């Protein structure tokens, strides 16, 4: 883990991008956005920031909900990007704002992906229901993983939708290990796994399914970490290996430490920085 004084130094630079209303942009010079504000709150919680400092950001997020409980990526497009409801629930639940969370959880439970008939084209179970990026779409790994984390944070770990979501992720696991964006093979060709999707799936599955069922994916992530150069990939990998209690996660976090200072200027993405500070924080906020 990063030394507390170093973490605070990076947090203070991050917090310097906060608008007076508590919101954060994706990068300096851009407008307020929901996703980076979510990850700022989660980063602050992971590092033990004074709750009073986070209160304006939490209050800003609480006002982003639609009447049906969903949360869009942008208030200008209230029906778009509703997948962000899931990480929003994680942040608000971890912050203790149970009143705001209740309606969003009900929306997530009703937010279903379409199903399809099984064919020989894609080697997956199309009858399983997970979560899509938007209404009326097929299920994908990332929104399903975030929704599982959200419902777990809201105390719904044993809900039937959560159990089916875990089955869906296990079904989409590539035979050699890891996850692509949604498929595992196409026309008989095994697809390539990615660090970010694999890490998110493992964050949702570790300690919730038998370790033997995801061991090959953990090993893929450990192998990939040795050559991973993306701060975003290293942050998610570090989070996943921490959750899965893998000892080599410390080496990943050490490499991530060296990348945080590089996340500035044109390279700065506040979501990526927020995830890095979550990975390097003292608390595993996504699963504790």
């Amino acid at each position: 883990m990063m030394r507390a004084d170093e973490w605070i130094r990076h947090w203070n630079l991050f917090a310097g991008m906060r608008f007076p209303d508590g919101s954060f942009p994706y990068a300096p010079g851009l407008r307020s956005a929901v996703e980076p504000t979510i990850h700022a709150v989660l980063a602050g919680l992971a590092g033990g920031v004074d709750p009073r400092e986070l209160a304006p950001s939490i209050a800003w997020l609480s006002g982003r909900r639609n009447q049906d409980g969903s949360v869009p990526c942008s208030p200008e497009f209230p029906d778009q990007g509703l997948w962000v409801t899931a990480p929003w629930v994680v942040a608000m639940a971890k912050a203790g704002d149970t009143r705001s969370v209740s309606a969003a959880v009900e929306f997530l439970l009703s937010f279903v992906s379409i199903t399809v008939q099984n064919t020989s084209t894609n080697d997956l179970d199309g009858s399983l229901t997970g979560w899509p990026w938007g209404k009326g779409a097929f299920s994908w790994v990332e929104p399903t993983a975030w929704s599982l984390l959200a419902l777990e944070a809201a105390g719904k770990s044993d809900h039937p939708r959560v159990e089916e979501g875990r089955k869906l992720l296990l079904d989409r696991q590539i035979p050699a290990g890891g996850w692509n964006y949604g498929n595992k093979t196409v026309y008989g060709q095994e697809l390539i796994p990615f660090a970010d999707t694999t890490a998110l799936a493992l964050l949702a599955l570790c300690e919730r399914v038998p370790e033997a069922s995801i061991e090959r994916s953990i090993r893929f992530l450990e192998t990939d970490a040795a050559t991973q150069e993306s701060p975003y990939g290293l942050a998610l990998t570090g989070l996943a290996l921490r959750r899965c209690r893998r000892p080599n996660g410390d080496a990943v976090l050490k490499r991530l430490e060296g990348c945080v200072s590089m996340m500035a200027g044109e390279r700065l993405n506040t979501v990526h920085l927020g995830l890095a500070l979550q990975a390097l924080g003292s608390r595993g906020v996504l699963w504790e």
Side-chain angles (χ1 to χ4, degrees), residues 214-230:
I214 55 174
E215 177 63 28
R216 63 186 184 274
S217 292
I218 298 174
R219 288 201 304 269
F220 158 74
L221 199 61
E222 290 175 321
T223 301
D224 177 83
T227 55
Q228 179 61 248
E229 296 181 352
S230 161

Side-chain angles (χ1 to χ4, degrees), residues 115-179:
T115 57
V116 297
Q117 290 186 339
N118 296 339
T119 71
S120 58
T121 303
N122 288 306
D123 182 20
L124 54 80
D125 186 348
S127 69
L128 292 171
T129 302
W131 282 267
W133 292 111
K135 290 181 178 179
F138 196 56
S139 56
W140 296 93
V141 169
E142 292 165 272
T144 296
W146 273 115
S147 295
L148 293 177
L149 288 168
L151 293 171
E152 181 177 336
K156 301 284 186 180
S157 294
D158 298 325
H159 193 280
R161 284 221 60 200
V162 172
E163 293 177 358
E164 185 164 1
R166 292 179 189 135
K167 290 179 182 177
L168 184 145
L169 288 183
L170 290 174
D171 179 68
R172 304 291 181 84
Q173 190 175 198
I174 292 169
W179 280 264

